[in-house]
Amino acid sequence: MLSFLGVRPIAFAAGLAFALMALIGGFSTIGAMVSEPEKPTAEHEFHLAPREADFSFNGVTGTFDERQMQRGFQVFKEVCSACHSLKLVAFRDLQGIGYSEAEVKAIASQWAIETPAPNPETGELATRKNLPSDRFPAPFANEIAARAANNNAVPPDLSLMAKARHHGPEYIYSLLTGYRNQVGFKNKDGQELLREFPEAKTPAGLHFNPYFPTLNLAMTPPLTSNGQVQYTDGTAPTVDNMARDVAAFLTWTAEPKLQVRHQAGWAAAIFLLIFCGLAWGAYQNVWRGVKH
């Protein structure tokens, strides 16, 4: 009993000392923040939020525009697929944006990169033509090859890019159309980047883009001129349209069931409204003869 009573004051003193140290540390941190505020950085002052873009799938009633999806796929095929993979999407999934089974078979068999597969006779690694059931093959054999071809940067897979970034479709659209000349670039407050932050000069091999979090990225501007991709539906192949279309396509690859979710949500909301009405009617009927 005596030993127990002797431990309690020691534990109390230790707890009090710990609390005092934490309090002193907290006040020291606050004092340092007030006396030495954090210095602004180029990324904080000059990074731009994604531009607004009016996509058909925005909002709770939004739907995918199949023609836009197909144009976006064409941009991915002719421009983006040279560096970026789409490893979570199979060729047969393209039927979800309006391609027929025959068209999907043709797209798969004619794809520039074939699927790695062992030779059935020798066992040596070879390639074969793609099947509709195959996923889109990666443009590089491995990470080393990807780095060697892209200034030591590995191009990210684009399957889920629209979900991996905040305001994904708008981010992709803004990034593709956002390459700028760093010299003379100003923010909304009129500050000039290189005058305020001369150390932020874009290093050799990188490209300035204020929509990218660090302002500089290894990817060269992929969409450089109007008419780079020839649309077959009569849409003007401007850089803006091509960026918007491929952003829409990558939204579909990330959320192919978006329309189904919208429809299910409306069905659930209507069901709940009807159920609430029936429940209220049943309540009134059951308690009709009871006086309050």
Side-chain angles (χ1 to χ4, degrees):
M1 184 68 177
L2 291 175
S3 61
F4 174 73
L5 293 175
V7 168
R8 292 183 64 183
I10 296 174
F12 177 78
L16 182 61
F18 178 80
L20 287 174
M21 292 299 293
L23 190 63
I24 293 172
F27 277 117
S28 299
T29 302
I30 295 173
M33 291 175 63
V34 172
S35 59
E36 300 179 10
E38 184 178 357
K39 294 181 180 180
T41 63
E43 291 86 352
H44 180 268
E45 295 294 324
F46 290 87
H47 174 56
L48 300 180
R51 297 161 54 195
E52 292 186 4
D54 185 21
F55 290 105
S56 63
F57 47 79
N58 286 343
V60 295
T61 60
T63 58
F64 287 126
D65 180 348
E66 285 190 353
R67 291 177 62 185
Q68 184 179 46
M69 298 299 110
Q70 294 182 12
R71 293 196 303 270
F73 170 65
Q74 186 180 352
V75 175
F76 171 81
K77 177 183 177 182
E78 298 183 21
V79 180
C80 308
S81 65
C83 297
H84 294 277
S85 58
L86 209 61
K87 63 184 180 181
L88 299 182
V89 182
F91 287 100
R92 62 186 175 191
D93 294 334
L94 294 176
Q95 294 183 56
I97 57 173
Y99 287 104
S100 67
E101 185 176 348
E103 289 174 322
V104 169
K105 287 182 179 179
I107 291 170
S109 64
Q110 297 168 7
W111 196 256
I113 303 169
E114 296 184 338
T115 294
N119 187 311
E121 297 179 359
T122 65
E124 295 180 355
L125 187 62
T127 60
R128 60 164 174 79
K129 287 190 176 296
N130 300 297
L131 301 173
S133 57
D134 290 325
R135 294 183 177 181
F136 285 85
F140 302 104
N142 50 53
E143 182 178 325
I144 297 174
R147 289 187 181 279
N150 293 278
N151 194 29
N152 202 37
V154 179
D157 179 77
L158 298 182
S159 305
L160 301 176
M161 186 58 66
K163 292 184 69 174
R165 299 291 183 268
H166 191 52
H167 297 304
E170 289 80 8
Y171 168 79
I172 295 171
Y173 164 68
S174 300
L175 187 74
L176 292 176
T177 58
Y179 288 87
R180 300 282 189 275
N181 186 344
Q182 190 182 36
V183 178
F185 180 77
K186 298 180 180 180
N187 62 9
K188 61 182 181 180
D189 297 325
Q191 296 176 310
E192 189 170 328
L193 173 60
L194 294 182
R195 182 177 297 175
E196 298 292 332
F197 300 94
E199 70 280 3
K201 182 177 176 61
T202 299
L206 298 183
H207 306 272
F208 177 69
N209 192 317
Y211 294 100
F212 194 68
T214 61
L215 304 182
N216 302 298
L217 72 165
M219 182 174 70
T220 59
L223 301 175
T224 56
S225 61
N226 297 334
Q228 189 172 341
V229 174
Q230 294 299 317
Y231 287 148
T232 58
D233 64 355
T235 301
T238 62
V239 170
D240 189 86
N241 282 342
M242 290 186 289
R244 192 184 302 269
D245 293 342
V246 77
F249 170 71
L250 293 178
T251 301
W252 171 78
T253 65
E255 296 191 86
K257 302 299 183 183
L258 178 68
Q259 293 182 179
V260 176
R261 290 196 295 105
H262 286 172
Q263 293 168 359
W266 278 108
I270 293 171
F271 168 79
L272 289 174
L273 286 174
I274 296 173
F275 176 79
C276 289
L278 293 174
W280 183 82
Y283 169 81
Q284 294 295 322
N285 185 59
V286 170
W287 295 96
R288 179 174 50 188
V290 178
K291 293 183 178 181
H292 295 287

